[in-house]
């Protein structure tokens, strides 16, 4: 078997059995990266660094040392995650030469678990987008069909895993940026509960919504990754002190007696018939295997997108104020005074979508509009949160489509911002509610494009999501 066809779990077994070395794996990954270069999935790669680390890990293993949970496996970070001495560009011209002065906690945790970071993935600039077409370094192509987008903003992170350039990657998700690309590329991605994973050293977009999470080729791989990433961090005061359980512990528990909530608000006319069909087939499968399907109500679901664009843009405008051409990133060559320096640096450094969000954010925060927009959005957020909490009191998980349609064509929505924003209609409410949700492949449409199913859990109950997802994945392996 080609090692690159293996899941992370399988390749760990092969490494531990001495069948393959990390040096071989790193070489195979780089060969694949070269062969699939046209995808533009990666913004940077570190061959020499990765090989040196693989050698060290191979030696440690050969000497009988027990390696960490990800011992010797090549992984990729999204390009908004700091890794000391490497570029962290956020796919922005503004940061094209910015070098990380320290490690993000998630990067450090991967290193401590003996993973090998081989590169950083392309993304929408500052994680704003749903198609990866907002990258200053060009769009990413979907490995399943290169005329289509991989989704965004973690499009590179999903594409690199789907194209088998590495065994797992990290993405970030503020409104769907892990789940939507995972769904479009046919891989597994989770947005953990808000507060589950530290964001220290991850460039902020909307701090009350951002979460880091893993993208993988299997559910078990995903749970293994989250085991490494989760936990409180003194450097991120929003990280939670909830105990971290072993997310693999319930993987094989099956779905007998599991209650699955279905809300009609997720099954709107916007759904393509093939997505609806796939979801219905999946729900039937769950029923046949002993799960109970219950109807739940999320009456305010359709307000979530408006709430999201007010809150996330307001926070983005504040977070991005630090990019002034003085402390970070590019500085305009010529300017008259300090105000002109800020103005020109920001005008030249940021792309169109980022400017749109900053303007929107400053508008909703400005005096006179604050109450009408920002405060109101915060109030509606509470309503949405309560609806999710109530719905999840009557069931173990909720199931919905991840997106209404499979991956769209490159360029198809670039001139229609509202159509682009609507792509996230089913993923955004999850961030607004702060609950965890995973996207898992649940079939293909007639053109062979992957369809994603979203499994939503209670706060800090990722383990049950993995249980429900793994049962489905195990019995649908042949469909892949
Ligand atoms: N597509 C959404 C946006 O552009 C979500 C992005 C994200 O989750 N980072 O805001």
């Amino acid at each position: 078997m080609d090692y690159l066809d293996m899941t992370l779990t399988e390749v760990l077994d092969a490494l531990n059995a001495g069948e393959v070395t990390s040096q071989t794996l790193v070489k195979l990954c780089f060969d694949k990266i070269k062969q699939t270069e046209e995808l533009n999935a990666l913004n940077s790669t570190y061959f020499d660094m990765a090989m040196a680390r693989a050698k060290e890990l191979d030696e440690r293993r050969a000497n009988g040392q027990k390696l960490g949970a990800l011992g010797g496996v090549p992984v990729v970070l999204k390009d908004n995650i700091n890794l000391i001495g490497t570029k962290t560009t956020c796919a922005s011209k503004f940061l094209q030469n910015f070098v990380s002065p320290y490690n993000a906690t998630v990067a450090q945790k991967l290193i401590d678990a003996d993973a090998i970071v081989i590169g950083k993935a392309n993304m929408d600039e500052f994680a704003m987008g749903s198609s990866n077409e907002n990258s200053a370094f060009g769009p990413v192509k979907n490995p399943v069909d290169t005329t289509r987008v991989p989704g965004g903003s973690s499009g590179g992170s999903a594409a690199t895993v789907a194209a088998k350039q590495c065994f797992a990657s990290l993405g970030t998700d503020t409104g769907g940026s892990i789940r939507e690309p995972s769904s479009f590329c046919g891989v597994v991605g989770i947005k953990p509960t808000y507060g589950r994973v530290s964001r220290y050293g991850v460039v902020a977009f909307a701090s009350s919504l951002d979460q880091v999470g893993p993208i993988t080729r299997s559910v078990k791989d995903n749970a293994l990754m989250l085991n490494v990433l989760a936990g409180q961090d003194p450097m991120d005061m929003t990280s939670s002190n909830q105990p971290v359980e072993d997310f693999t512990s319930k993987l094989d528990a099956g779905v007998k007696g599991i209650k699955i909530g279905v809300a009609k608000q997720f099954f709107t006319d916007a759904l393509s018939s093939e997505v609806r069909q796939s979801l219905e087939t999946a729900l039937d499968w769950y029923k046949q295997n002993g799960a109970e399907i219950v109807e739940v109500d999320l009456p305010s679901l359709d307000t979530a997108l408006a709430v999201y664009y007010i809150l996330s843009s307001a926070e983005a405008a504040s977070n991005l104020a630090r990019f002034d051409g003085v402390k970070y990133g590019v500085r305009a060559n010529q300017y008259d005074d300090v105000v002109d320096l800020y103005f020109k640096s920001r005008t030249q450094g940021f792309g169109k979508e980022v400017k749109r969000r900053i303007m929107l954010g400053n508008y909703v925060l400005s005096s006179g509009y604050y109450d009408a927009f920002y405060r109101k959005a915060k109030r509606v957020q509470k309503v949405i949160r309560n609806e999710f909490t109530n719905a999840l009191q009557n069931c173990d998980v909720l199931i919905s489509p991840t997106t209404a349609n499979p991956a769209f064509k490159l360029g198809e929505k670039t001139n229609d911002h509202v159509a682009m924003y609507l792509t996230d209609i089913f993923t955004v409410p999850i961030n607004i509610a702060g609950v965890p949700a995973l996207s898992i492949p649940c079939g293909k449409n007639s053109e062979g494009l992957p369809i994603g199913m979203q499994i939503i859990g209670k706060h800090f109950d990722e383990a049950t999501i993995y249980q429900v997802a793994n049962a489905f994945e195990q019995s649908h392996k042949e469909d892949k």
Side-chain angles (χ1 to χ4, degrees), residues 78 127-130 152-153 172-178 205 308-309 312 357 421 424:
K78 187 172 177 178
M128 297 168 187
S130 310
S153 66
T172 60
D173 190 313
T174 307
S177 279
I178 289 174
F205 166 6
Y308 172 80
Y309 274 94
S312 67
R357 306 289 177 106
Y421 295 172
D424 303 314

Side-chain angles (χ1 to χ4, degrees), residues 407-469:
F408 48 92
K409 293 268 185 193
L410 283 152
E412 192 179 317
K413 296 187 202 257
T414 36
N415 293 321
D416 186 345
H417 312 301
V418 176
M420 190 67 94
Y421 295 172
L422 280 167
T423 316
D424 303 314
I425 195 156
F426 300 143
T427 51
V428 152
I430 311 309
N431 303 67
I432 298 294
V435 290
L438 171 132
S439 180
I440 177 186
C442 79
K444 290 189 175 144
N445 77 353
S446 51
E447 292 168 282
L449 301 172
I451 292 171
M453 166 163 72
Q454 179 169 244
I455 307 177
I456 305 158
K458 300 181 190 188
H459 281 101
F460 297 102
D461 192 15
E462 290 88 353
T464 303
I465 297 183
Y466 285 129
Q467 175 187 347
V468 171

